[in-house]
Amino acid sequence: MNERPVESSVEWVFREERGRLLATLVRRFGDLDLAEDVTSEAIEAALEHWPVEGVPDRPGAWLLTTARRKAVDRLRRDQAYAARLAVLQVEADRAAPAPPADAGGDLPDERLQLFFTCAHPALAAEDRVALTLRCLAGLTTTEVARAFLLPPATMAQRIVRAKKKIREARIPFRVPGADELPERLPGVLQVIYSIFTEGYAASSGARLQRLDLAEEAIRLARILRRLLPSEREVAGLLALMLLVHARREARTGPDGEIVLLDDQDRGRWDQSMIEEGSDLVLVALTGGPPGPYGVQAAIAALHDEAADVASTDWPQIVALYDVLLALAPSPVVALNRAAAVAMRDGPEAGLALLDELAGEPRLRGYHPYPTARADLLRRLGRFPEAAAAYREALELAGTEPERAHLRRRLHAVETPGA
């Protein structure tokens, strides 16, 4: 028996093994609800037995055996349910592609199947994120709801809707074939990055950052990296998140106020995370044309490697944004490129590019756009125009630290020289 304390063992198994356990049960029984229920029951059984009997040497295997038994007991009690699952399992087996010839007879980690099921394109985008957090990150429904500031009942309905869609659309629990992977993998990466983005810059609430969400996204990306080691964009996404998350301690002050990149104490940046991210950038950019996450990671690495804002390699960053615009054109990328051009060529040049984006509908309601315009107008001494842009941004900002920062900037341009 393991000497690890019972409480920490259960927590460790839940955090490290829950996704694998759930995926194995889904693959075996073909039903996500059943798999979730018996996973929870197995953990409850562990809490009952381990304090008396001790923690098993292989706690994950103990939980899997217990969960399987509970699932079989359920199916014996409900023959109609068992028959329906059997039909679904036969259909899923028929749909599953044959293992690749070089697989050596080993099946891929079943969590990979769950990744692609949770991020299936047939599901609504918000449902994909919710289901991934619930199933692969192991958050409770209440925790997922809290992450997005929704009532638990609303989030429960969203998760139920996603599961119902999986059943009704007969979405198979399988890894896409080699011919499907290039089309399907970006959706999985986008789900993970959406979780990270909400953690890095919360859409609303009292805090700028949700470190728990950002760290869950990084944990999921690490799992995916282990499962798909040859996919360079997986390395690129993990690199990007590590390089950005490395600045987390310096991004806010003692009272949660925003600290801009120019003013951050770079000595507080996580150097080990930067080193790991920089190594992964090389993986992401080597061996073929770069992908969008690899390019974004390279941009983040240039920021992290600079001693200060003034010595940042802005020409190289602009060049990388040019590459990114060709790979994944979007108004947000164009906005970020304009900000980099302003640092390279001056605020007038950056403002001209921002003004070209003024009619872009996808930037309406996106507060970084008026914020960027306001900052450049302020640098040019055009204070009344800057004040108007700050007011626009203030109406759109979602978190209190962002609003407090914008109020300070607005006051500064309304009372210049005061």
Side-chain angles (χ1 to χ4, degrees), residues 127-210:
D127 294 352
R128 296 177 212 164
V129 174
L131 203 58
T132 300
L133 284 172
R134 179 73 187 90
C135 296
L136 280 157
L139 274 65
T140 66
T141 299
T142 300
E143 289 170 332
V144 178
R146 188 184 306 127
F148 293 99
L149 302 175
L150 290 173
T154 302
M155 185 54 69
Q157 290 173 355
R158 182 171 289 179
I159 292 172
V160 167
R161 180 177 67 196
K163 292 177 180 177
K164 182 179 179 182
K165 179 71 173 181
I166 288 173
R167 285 195 303 271
E168 293 181 349
R170 302 289 174 88
I171 294 173
F173 292 91
R174 66 175 179 86
V175 180
D179 58 330
E180 300 173 283
L181 194 61
E183 179 182 358
R184 290 281 306 280
L185 182 59
V188 175
L189 299 181
Q190 182 57 53
V191 167
I192 296 175
Y193 192 46
S194 295
I195 295 169
F196 178 80
T197 300
E198 183 65 24
Y200 168 76
S203 55
S204 57
R207 292 179 290 172
L208 176 68
Q209 303 181 93
R210 283 291 314 274

Side-chain angles (χ1 to χ4, degrees), residues 25 48 71 125 132 141 183 195 209 239 248 266 287 293 295 310 316 339 356 358 362 378 416:
L25 292 166
E48 179 182 347
T132 300
T141 299
E183 179 182 358
I195 295 169
Q209 303 181 93
R248 63 196 180 280
R266 299 186 178 215
Y293 290 113
V295 175
Q316 181 65 15
E356 291 177 6
R362 285 173 289 179
R378 175 183 56 82

Side-chain angles (χ1 to χ4, degrees), residues 218-290:
I218 290 172
R219 191 175 72 87
L220 291 172
R222 288 192 188 282
I223 294 172
L224 199 60
R225 167 83 175 134
R226 289 196 295 271
L227 300 177
L228 295 171
S230 63
E231 291 294 334
R232 293 186 298 118
E233 271 291 81
V234 176
L237 175 60
L238 179 55
L240 172 61
M241 295 191 296
L242 290 171
L243 291 163
V244 171
H245 197 56
R247 310 173 203 150
R248 63 196 180 280
E249 296 296 334
R251 292 185 62 227
T252 55
D255 298 321
E257 68 275 15
I258 291 177
V259 180
L260 298 179
L261 189 64
D262 316 40
D263 303 317
Q264 288 177 19
D265 177 1
R266 299 186 178 215
R268 299 183 66 195
W269 290 1
D270 188 326
Q271 291 303 315
S272 63
M273 201 169 274
I274 291 171
E275 290 174 9
E276 182 184 0
S278 297
D279 289 343
L280 285 168
V281 169
L282 295 178
V283 175
L285 299 182
T286 302

Side-chain angles (χ1 to χ4, degrees), residues 11-232:
E11 177 67 16
W12 178 81
V13 170
F14 184 78
R15 301 291 297 169
E16 298 299 325
E17 296 296 332
R18 184 185 182 279
R20 190 191 304 273
L21 175 63
L22 185 64
T24 300
L25 292 166
V26 169
R27 175 62 179 163
R28 172 64 181 82
F29 298 105
D31 185 273
L32 188 51
D33 281 325
L34 175 66
E36 280 199 295
D37 287 347
V38 297
T39 294
S40 297
E41 290 175 11
I43 291 174
E44 289 174 8
L47 288 171
E48 179 182 347
H49 289 280
W50 291 0
V52 177
E53 302 169 4
V55 178
D57 292 328
R58 298 174 60 208
W62 189 99
L63 286 174
L64 178 58
T65 299
T66 302
R68 279 176 172 163
R69 287 173 180 165
K70 291 184 178 294
V72 170
D73 287 344
R74 281 192 177 208
L75 296 176
R76 283 173 178 164
R77 292 195 301 268
D78 189 342
Q79 292 300 315
Y81 186 41
R84 182 173 68 83
L85 288 188
V87 171
L88 294 175
Q89 185 63 47
V90 169
E91 291 179 353
D93 289 342
R94 286 174 178 168
D102 60 352
D106 293 330
L107 291 173
D109 189 304
E110 287 168 327
R111 283 174 298 181
L112 196 55
Q113 299 166 346
L114 202 50
F115 266 112
F116 282 96
T117 301
C118 290
H120 196 280
L123 300 175
E126 65 271 18
D127 294 352
R128 296 177 212 164
V129 174
L131 203 58
T132 300
L133 284 172
R134 179 73 187 90
C135 296
L136 280 157
L139 274 65
T140 66
T141 299
T142 300
E143 289 170 332
V144 178
R146 188 184 306 127
F148 293 99
L149 302 175
L150 290 173
T154 302
M155 185 54 69
Q157 290 173 355
R158 182 171 289 179
I159 292 172
V160 167
R161 180 177 67 196
K163 292 177 180 177
K164 182 179 179 182
K165 179 71 173 181
I166 288 173
R167 285 195 303 271
E168 293 181 349
R170 302 289 174 88
I171 294 173
F173 292 91
R174 66 175 179 86
V175 180
D179 58 330
E180 300 173 283
L181 194 61
E183 179 182 358
R184 290 281 306 280
L185 182 59
V188 175
L189 299 181
Q190 182 57 53
V191 167
I192 296 175
Y193 192 46
S194 295
I195 295 169
F196 178 80
T197 300
E198 183 65 24
Y200 168 76
S203 55
S204 57
R207 292 179 290 172
L208 176 68
Q209 303 181 93
R210 283 291 314 274
L211 298 182
D212 54 341
L213 278 185
E215 286 160 7
E216 282 298 343
I218 290 172
R219 191 175 72 87
L220 291 172
R222 288 192 188 282
I223 294 172
L224 199 60
R225 167 83 175 134
R226 289 196 295 271
L227 300 177
L228 295 171
S230 63
E231 291 294 334
R232 293 186 298 118

Side-chain angles (χ1 to χ4, degrees), residues 325 328-335 357-370 396:
L325 268 176
S330 82
V332 173
V333 173
L335 166 60
L357 299 172
E360 175 54 60
R362 285 173 289 179
L363 292 180
R364 293 193 192 119
Y366 186 64
H367 78 84
Y369 176 70
L396 299 172

